């Protein structure tokens, strides 16, 4: 009995990987073994950086809140502590947006907690 290799499934698997490698540079886009490794590594980076993005944005928000609070003579930690003490439950994303785009609203919050 002849050996069955199921070339239809194999072709579909390779086609899927090659489609994901579209836009890569050099042999990474059209040589099977190189493309497979490149796509695998890209998926690892994508998984890792979906988590890192959350850290990066939190750090950005903290920096913006700190800059906004220091204009009114407060450090970030004092400002956040005062918010908690006054039961103002605004998250860092919203506070950073207020500090950047609506300084008058941010000033009102700072005056409330002072």
């Amino acid at each position: 009995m002849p050996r069955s290799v199921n070339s239809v499934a194999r072709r579909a698997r390779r086609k899927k990987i090659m489609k994901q490698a579209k836009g890569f540079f050099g042999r990474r886009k059209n040589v099977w073994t190189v493309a497979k490794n490149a796509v695998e590594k890209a998926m690892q980076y994508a998984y890792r950086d979906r988590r890192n993005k959350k850290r990066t944005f939190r750090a950005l928000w903290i920096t913006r809140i700190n800059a906004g609070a220091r204009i009114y003579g407060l450090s970030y930690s004092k400002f956040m502590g005062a918010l908690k003490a006054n039961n103002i439950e605004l998250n860092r994303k919203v506070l950073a947006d207020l500090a950047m785009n609506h300084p008058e609203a941010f000033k009102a919050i700072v005056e409330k907690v002072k």
Side-chain angles (χ1 to χ4, degrees):
M1 193 169 169
R3 185 171 73 95
S4 173
V5 290
N6 197 4
S7 59
V8 175
R10 173 212 231 158
R11 176 82 182 135
R13 268 196 305 273
R14 290 188 178 205
K15 197 171 167 188
K16 184 174 81 174
I17 296 290
M18 296 308 278
K19 186 179 177 189
Q20 289 175 310
K22 191 174 178 186
F24 287 11
F25 184 82
R27 292 182 179 188
R28 295 162 71 95
K29 71 172 163 281
N30 54 14
V31 174
W32 163 246
T33 51
V34 182
K36 182 168 69 79
N37 291 335
V39 166
E40 200 172 281
K41 192 67 169 178
M43 294 294 196
Q44 289 173 347
Y45 284 139
Y47 179 84
R48 179 196 71 188
D49 291 336
R50 278 195 298 275
R51 278 124 196 96
N52 285 358
K53 184 166 73 168
K54 295 163 183 58
R55 295 179 212 164
T56 309
F57 269 106
R58 186 181 171 96
L60 175 66
W61 297 332
I62 288 171
T63 304
R64 288 178 172 178
I65 294 166
N66 189 27
R70 287 194 183 266
I71 294 168
Y72 304 107
L74 285 171
S75 69
Y76 170 78
S77 60
K78 300 267 189 225
F79 176 65
M80 293 307 282
L83 281 178
K84 297 278 186 261
N86 286 290
N87 293 321
I88 298 174
E89 293 182 12
L90 289 174
N91 63 21
R92 287 167 181 82
K93 182 178 178 179
V94 171
L95 285 168
D97 183 55
L98 291 174
M100 285 289 293
N101 301 320
H102 307 285
E104 64 286 338
F106 189 76
K107 183 179 182 180
I109 293 169
V110 173
E111 297 302 325
K112 179 119 170 77
V113 299
K114 266 189 171 178

